[in-house]
Amino acid sequence: MFKNKTADQRNNLCGLRIRALRKALPTHPSQQKFAAMLQLYGLDMDKNAIQRIESGARFVTDIELAAIAKVLGVSADVLLGLSE
């Protein structure tokens, strides 16, 4: 049976990478500022959603993943750990 969690019981593969890439941005945006940046791309997400994604408590849709990758300036493959 397929399980919808990682080996360490996280609900997504990308949360830790999103956190690291967000903190590596030149402006070091907070979760709240990052949510505002995503809203400029049309993704309605708040600070709490960012926190839950980064902690692995929340699933991430493909639409969200695409917008997050665009704001971070990387491909979705990078966020998923499929490429560097």
Side-chain angles (χ1 to χ4, degrees):
M1 177 182 216
F2 184 76
K3 297 185 181 184
N4 289 336
K5 292 190 184 266
T6 64
D8 59 352
Q9 299 302 302
R10 297 174 59 84
N11 288 320
N12 63 57
L13 296 170
C14 59
L16 294 176
R17 289 179 195 89
I18 290 170
R19 177 185 297 148
L21 290 167
R22 173 181 61 81
K23 290 182 175 186
L25 289 172
T27 58
H28 310 292
S30 65
Q31 291 173 337
Q32 185 170 351
K33 176 69 175 167
F34 188 61
M37 293 165 69
L38 290 169
Q39 288 177 1
L40 291 175
Y41 276 89
L43 184 63
D44 187 21
M45 189 172 285
D46 65 10
K47 174 209 168 289
N48 294 328
I50 301 297
Q51 188 278 325
R52 294 187 73 232
I53 288 170
E54 290 183 353
S55 71
R58 183 181 180 280
F59 291 102
V60 181
T61 68
D62 55 354
I63 294 167
E64 293 169 338
L65 189 70
I68 291 168
K70 186 168 225 166
V71 169
L72 292 172
V74 298
S75 72
D77 283 353
V78 170
L79 295 181
L80 294 172
L82 301 174
S83 68
E84 294 293 317

